Amino acid sequence: MQITASTVSLTVDDVAASQQFFTTHLGYTEQAAAEGFASLARQDGAVDIVLLARGTQVLPADQRDQHAGGLILAFTVTDVREEEKRLIAAGVEITMPLREEAWGERLFQITDPNGVIVQFVEWAAPATP
């Protein structure tokens, strides 16, 4: 198997709200869109995102009413502190402030208008006991 790209598909109530959030604050661009659907991508190694309206008929019946809850969309970045500052300056609410875990992970989270949690991560040397 050779994987040529990665895409995450998120089922949300308001496709336009998530689309605007990802394009405005996270550098995604629209690749395609239609009623209840948007395909977003970036020019770097970030995962592509497909947004589908909850209840859409293109989904199997047992998936139509599910929501993207419980999912964390995590991006590894080169300067997590600067990303947090940039998003704060843009008026984005930080829903989990920057913190550092003992195993060497620095992270913070924001949440899109549909409740999709986006986490930014930077790896550092683990703290010594």
Side-chain angles (χ1 to χ4, degrees):
M1 169 176 53
Q2 179 181 0
I3 297 173
T4 60
S6 295
T7 304
V8 62
S9 181
L10 304 172
T11 306
V12 297
D13 291 323
D14 186 343
V15 170
S18 284
Q19 180 179 6
Q20 181 177 6
F21 184 84
F22 280 93
T23 57
T24 301
H25 299 297
L26 302 180
Y28 276 85
T29 58
E30 178 185 297
Q31 301 301 297
E35 181 71 27
F37 164 82
S39 176
L40 310 175
R42 287 180 46 106
Q43 295 299 312
D44 56 14
V47 65
D48 293 344
I49 298 173
V50 168
L51 301 165
L52 292 172
R54 198 162 76 157
T56 188
Q57 297 298 309
V58 300
L59 292 170
D62 64 337
Q63 296 176 19
R64 288 182 191 148
D65 290 319
Q66 293 183 6
H67 185 271
L71 173 113
I72 296 175
L73 185 57
F75 296 114
T76 302
V77 297
T78 54
D79 192 337
V80 75
R81 286 184 178 94
E82 284 303 312
E83 282 304 313
E84 184 186 42
K85 287 179 190 175
R86 178 186 70 79
L87 289 164
I88 290 170
V92 176
E93 179 184 357
I94 305 301
T95 51
M96 185 183 78
L98 183 65
R99 67 184 197 203
E100 187 166 337
E101 302 294 354
W103 54 85
E105 180 182 24
R106 287 187 196 113
L107 65 140
F108 72 93
Q109 294 178 347
I110 60 177
T111 304
D112 97 326
N114 283 291
V116 176
I117 298 168
V118 181
Q119 180 169 291
F120 295 86
V121 178
E122 179 179 40
W123 294 97
T128 54

